[in-house]
Amino acid sequence: MKWTQIPLGPLQTNCYVVSDGQDCIIFDPGEEPQKIIQYIQTKNLKPLAILLTHAHFDHIGALDAIRDHYGIPAYIHEKEAKWLLDPALNGSQNWFPESPMRMKPADHILANEQELTIGGFTFEVFETPGHSPGSVSYYVKDERLLFSGDVLFQGSVGRTDLIGGSESVLLNSIEKKLLTLSDDAIVFPGHGPVTTILDEKNTNPFLR
């Protein structure tokens, strides 16, 4: 399985394209849809779905453009399904008052933790609230790849001062759901560089 990190938009939100052969999954298309499309065309990939870690504006800005271009479904947790349609909830109303984001509803709603299979890809879906109430992390167990959204970063954790955020809930999510994974699991965060579970156990000041 191969992966590429594509930082997008003013906040440099990480979009990830994960491929297995010619098929691929797109995580968090936050902005600049042409960058995503150009990469996929260059690699001659076939997108199967879009997986959203949560519904903040910087993670969904290119959602409809990518979804419509490829005719593929989008997945999100039920606690943030309405956020796609509501600029006040997804935060775009504050950042872009002249062009707030109202996306189409997600095609698939994740109601609980589960094993999610799309084509040849299988992900374990962990509910990891705290940064936002519907934040989820996707884990490829066989490859030890964790897509953590804005829950866990290299040397930091997600902010908790936005709607539905909670520091205690966030730290509990990280401790109970993420730090229990294999030490060599690679963490793909929503912002910044890739890290590992072991590195965050040893060096992340928020987790000591």
Side-chain angles (χ1 to χ4, degrees), residues 11-32:
L11 298 185
Q12 290 292 275
T13 303
N14 290 329
C15 169
Y16 295 99
V17 178
V18 181
S19 60
D20 187 1
Q22 295 306 114
D23 291 337
C24 71
I25 301 290
I26 302 167
F27 288 88
D28 290 352
E31 273 280 359
E32 303 177 279

Side-chain angles (χ1 to χ4, degrees), residues 1 3 12 42 98 154 162 208:
M1 191 174 293
W3 59 271
Q12 290 292 275
T42 298
E98 296 181 357
Q154 183 189 66
L162 302 173
R208 293 182 175 180

